[in-house]
Amino acid sequence: MRSMAGLVLLWLLSALPFGLVLTLGGNPGVSAFLALAAVGLLTMVSNAKRAMLGEALVFTDLALLGAVFKHPQFYFSALNSAQKALLALSAPIVPLLIWFTRTGEPALHLAGILILLGSGIVLRLIVGMAPWSRLAQHPDSESDVLRHGLIPTLFLHWLRWRASPDPEAPAMLSQRVSADELVVMIQCESFADPADLFADPELELPGLATARQSAWQHGKLNVHGFGAYTMRTEYGVLFGRHQEALGFRRFDPYLTALNETHHALPARLRSAGWQSLFVHPHDMRFYNRDKILPAAGFAELCGEDRFAPPGSDEGRYVTDAAMADEILTLAASARQPTLIYAVTIENHGPWGSKTGVSDLRGCYIELVRRSDAMLARLSRELANLGRPATLVFFGDHRPSIPGIAEPGGDLHTPYVILRFDSEGQPLPGSTTAQDLTPADLHHTILNLLVAEAAPVT
């Protein structure tokens, strides 16, 4: 049952679009219809997202509206044909409906202005008063949606997010590595162990199995999302801040990452004499990487312009094989302690006939085997560079494949850390699997490379 405080917020928040449309068109019926339609649209999108990713719409999703239009293939796969048609029709119909039903009566336009201003003022006043000031104090989206409703929860979480303080700077680091140390970190898109994902030992990946046998450390990476939210894993590994410390920033930590760049792995390594390179064969404006990552200490971003477009028989995205070529070229040319952080994309959904395999499960397995082949190749060739090298390989999240891999189960992906000496011999480590969060992985790597790495929450 919805809380009374949540119902008051819903009424006030719904009054905002009602007042706006009434101000523009002066038609109460159309204004009420569009205000209700806005509520229905958000609910539809939230339900579609929950069915595909296992969580309701969160306020930070609204910050990605621009990306929806630039890269619709990443988002519209969650909607069915009727929902896509509804969204496509609503964009031109809404302004036309307002225009052709306008009344031109000054009193109705004035009423719209009063409703818009009045509801905004009341909202501004009550959010600092009990009981509203006590609502949604913890980032529990599912519970808050059940208790207060979707739209009030979006509003309340946005308010709490705005009040989140920036973290203090971590301790400086001192160097503890040889001059030719190399670290390659691979954030592999939608990479999960199919033997685990589909409970079928016959699907064991040979590259991953071999890497686990010779790994310095391996185990499960307990990521914070299913089927999407690459940026949550990426942020955790690069910035090393745990979910508990992030608070309401956890839903999309990249929105505030520019205020936290002193926590980033490249920024901290730079003070110990390292250079860092970021490799991703996609638009670097996605998640504002083009601004965040240089500020976080990356000396160079190697984006889509570094790769030839994929061939007609290679699918939509740059292949993992091409990624391995570029990574190895950069590794061979590195002349100082170097971190190469690479984000792959070949195994990004939606899956289908991308590989010539018609069924979704078969297509995913074929693509994840290509990622596994990249892991095997990098393991061999980094060991042969004649310098100390560390290879970190992990999946950013599990795939969401309708009817095959759906939300509600495990979230973890595999990770392996391989270390080689200058002779190419693997360095021994723990023989027992160790489960980590993305932030734990950050601190594990940091503590391997430098001294006086104070733990950061």
Side-chain angles (χ1 to χ4, degrees):
M1 184 175 179
R2 298 287 188 263
S3 67
M4 183 57 66
L7 291 174
V8 171
L9 285 178
L10 177 61
W11 186 85
L12 290 169
L13 291 166
S14 300
L16 292 174
F18 175 83
L20 175 61
V21 177
L22 188 60
T23 299
L24 296 174
N27 189 314
V30 170
S31 301
F33 169 76
L34 291 179
L36 290 172
V39 174
L41 177 63
L42 287 173
T43 302
M44 179 193 77
V45 172
S46 182
N47 289 341
K49 182 191 168 192
R50 181 182 277 108
M52 187 172 189
L53 303 180
E55 64 177 83
L57 194 70
V58 293
F59 73 98
T60 55
D61 293 330
L62 303 180
L64 297 174
L65 285 176
V68 171
F69 295 102
K70 291 179 182 177
H71 307 284
Q73 73 275 14
F74 291 159
Y75 302 96
F76 287 153
S77 58
L79 304 176
N80 59 40
S81 299
Q83 292 168 334
K84 291 176 185 177
L86 179 62
L87 285 176
L89 289 172
S90 63
I93 284 178
V94 168
L96 291 174
L97 186 63
I98 295 173
W99 175 257
F100 285 109
T101 61
R102 69 193 189 281
T103 63
E105 297 184 24
L108 291 173
H109 291 279
L110 178 59
I113 293 173
L114 293 175
I115 291 171
L116 183 63
L117 292 177
S119 56
I121 291 170
V122 173
L123 266 175
R124 181 70 178 85
L125 291 173
I126 69 171
V127 293
M129 301 165 50
W132 295 276
S133 61
R134 297 195 296 264
L135 301 181
Q137 291 297 317
H138 304 285
D140 187 344
S141 182
E142 293 300 312
S143 295
D144 285 338
V145 168
L146 289 174
R147 186 177 301 113
H148 310 302
L150 173 65
I151 293 175
T153 295
L154 295 175
F155 176 69
L156 289 167
H157 284 197
W158 172 71
L159 289 178
R160 308 299 178 240
W161 171 81
R162 289 185 64 201
S164 300
D166 293 332
E168 296 181 1
M172 296 294 289
L173 307 176
S174 61
Q175 194 165 353
R176 194 184 68 192
V177 297
S178 62
D180 55 355
E181 183 81 19
L182 173 70
V183 176
V184 175
M185 302 182 70
I186 308 295
Q187 177 181 309
C188 194
E189 173 62 41
S190 297
F191 185 85
D193 183 354
D196 179 27
L197 187 65
F198 302 123
D200 185 353
E202 296 297 320
L203 297 177
E204 182 181 54
L205 297 172
L208 181 60
T210 300
R212 283 168 168 164
Q213 291 172 1
S214 57
W216 180 83
Q217 185 173 308
H218 72 92
K220 298 174 182 177
L221 189 67
N222 294 317
V223 302
H224 308 299
F226 174 84
Y229 291 119
T230 291
M231 92 294 267
R232 294 178 184 174
T233 302
E234 185 174 310
Y235 174 91
V237 175
L238 282 177
F239 287 75
R241 297 192 66 222
H242 293 279
Q243 292 277 286
E244 296 75 18
L246 284 172
F248 287 89
R249 295 185 176 191
R250 70 180 60 184
F251 298 118
D252 185 349
Y254 263 21
L255 290 179
T256 48
L258 276 173
N259 299 325
E260 304 166 7
T261 54
H262 40 263
H263 284 262
L265 185 61
R268 302 196 72 192
L269 290 175
R270 183 170 56 191
S271 68
W274 286 68
Q275 71 163 352
S276 299
L277 313 174
F278 186 89
V279 186
H280 183 42
H282 192 54
D283 186 350
M284 287 292 183
R285 294 171 297 178
F286 210 59
Y287 300 139
N288 288 325
R289 286 187 178 110
D290 60 323
K291 297 180 177 65
I292 294 170
L293 297 181
F298 281 103
E300 183 178 357
L301 307 185
C302 305
E304 56 189 345
D305 57 328
R306 298 286 286 264
F307 299 86
S312 58
D313 59 340
E314 292 179 327
R316 177 183 291 168
Y317 304 116
V318 170
T319 66
D320 288 352
M323 282 288 288
D325 290 340
E326 180 66 20
I327 291 165
L328 290 168
T329 297
L330 292 170
S333 62
R335 295 292 179 266
Q336 66 185 90
T338 299
L339 166 69
I340 301 173
Y341 192 101
V343 180
T344 74
I345 198 170
E346 182 177 15
N347 194 33
H348 198 293
W351 298 271
S353 58
K354 291 168 65 172
T355 64
V357 179
S358 58
D359 67 289
L360 294 175
R361 170 175 158 147
C363 180
Y364 175 77
I365 292 172
E366 170 61 26
L367 287 169
V368 84
R369 282 174 176 162
R370 297 180 188 180
S371 302
D372 186 65
M374 173 178 60
L375 168 60
R377 180 185 172 195
L378 290 173
S379 300
R380 292 192 306 270
E381 299 196 26
L382 289 176
N384 293 331
L385 286 179
R387 61 187 298 179
T390 299
L391 172 62
V392 185
F393 188 97
F394 59 94
D396 61 350
H397 54 71
R398 290 190 168 205
S400 177
I401 308 176
I404 298 170
E406 297 185 317
D410 294 328
L411 298 181
H412 64 78
T413 63
Y415 82 90
V416 289
I417 303 173
L418 299 123
R419 304 189 69 201
F420 305 99
D421 62 21
S422 58
E423 304 298 321
Q425 297 301 308
L427 298 177
S430 173
T431 58
T432 304
Q434 299 183 43
D435 298 348
L436 302 176
T437 65
D440 292 332
L441 182 59
H442 167 103
H443 294 292
T444 298
I445 299 306
L446 188 62
N447 291 329
L448 279 178
L449 303 177
V450 291
E452 298 177 14
V456 180
T457 58

